[in-house]
Amino acid sequence: MESENGSKSMGRVRVERGIYRQANGRYAVCVMIDGRPSLRTVAGALEQARIERELLREAARNALLSLWPRLTFGAVASQWLARFQRQVATGERRERTLENSRYYLDRHLLPELGRKRIRSLTPGDMASLIAALTGKGLAPKTIANALVPLGGILRFARRRGYILDDPLRRLEKAERPR
């Protein structure tokens, strides 16, 4: 792709403020989220990119955009687990608690939620997880124990700004195992 002055460029070229044309021909819109620039690829022509720029700016002003839109539950869980391991090393948490959390993550949570985007998790996903675990024949106590590290991961994600709300907390009490 050639830039305006005729030199070859492999990256993106600024078209106007906040809109860039990428090497693949698509447009990217730059918005500020929590004081950091974030590029979002948009479909369509330049006029559509202008519309998307305004929509994304408004969403960013209303705190409806995440800086990490593609972050998966599995990636956040591994960050949470690494933090938990550091806490065990310093004596803040116990080794047995780490083992239990790792067990529930590996056996029940990651197979169901690992590839889902953390930002898109809903209370419906939490209810589906509980239904899937119930369908496997797990006892309500086992399911409740699996929800403990899940809650920790979601709180961790919320503190880091990966998600705006905790979908597990929004789950109805009647839907939770007893």
Side-chain angles (χ1 to χ4, degrees):
M1 172 175 268
E2 290 191 18
S3 62
E4 294 172 20
N5 62 7
S7 64
K8 294 217 177 212
S9 169
M10 296 305 291
R12 56 187 160 264
V13 177
R14 182 173 186 237
V15 176
E16 59 187 58
R17 184 178 181 144
I19 298 178
Y20 298 86
R21 186 165 178 91
Q22 298 176 343
N24 63 5
R26 292 184 154 194
Y27 288 97
V29 175
C30 182
V31 292
M32 296 298 283
I33 303 172
D34 297 330
R36 294 179 176 171
S38 177
L39 283 169
R40 304 291 167 99
T41 302
V42 295
L46 180 59
E47 191 55 40
Q48 183 64 33
R50 289 179 179 133
I51 293 168
E52 290 289 328
R53 176 183 58 191
E54 296 311 313
L55 291 173
L56 287 170
R57 282 182 178 170
E58 186 62 31
R61 274 192 289 273
N62 294 326
L64 298 174
L65 285 181
S66 170
L67 196 55
W68 303 275
R70 294 187 179 178
L71 198 59
T72 63
F73 175 81
V76 175
S78 67
Q79 289 178 18
W80 176 81
L81 200 57
R83 182 175 177 266
F84 202 116
Q85 289 170 334
R86 288 191 302 272
Q87 289 175 329
V88 168
T90 61
E92 294 176 56
R93 304 295 293 263
R94 294 191 175 194
E95 180 70 33
R96 183 68 180 143
T97 309
L98 174 63
E99 290 172 13
N100 285 339
S101 296
R102 191 176 285 136
Y103 170 81
Y104 288 114
L105 266 172
D106 293 341
R107 289 289 292 242
H108 304 300
L109 300 177
L110 290 177
E112 296 292 329
L113 301 173
R115 304 197 85 192
K116 291 191 177 218
R117 292 184 179 175
I118 190 84
R119 176 92 174 150
S120 68
L121 291 177
T122 65
D125 291 324
M126 301 299 110
S128 297
L129 170 69
I130 292 169
L133 296 179
T134 302
K136 288 182 181 178
L138 298 179
K141 178 66 175 162
T142 305
I143 297 169
N145 288 344
L147 295 181
V148 171
L150 175 62
I153 293 165
L154 292 173
R155 284 190 304 277
F156 174 79
R158 188 164 180 233
R159 281 193 310 271
R160 293 282 173 104
Y162 300 151
I163 58 175
L164 299 174
D165 195 16
D166 183 344
L168 187 60
R169 276 188 13 194
R170 293 189 350 231
L171 195 63
E172 299 284 330
K173 287 195 182 219
E175 295 175 300
R176 291 177 177 253
R178 296 181 185 180

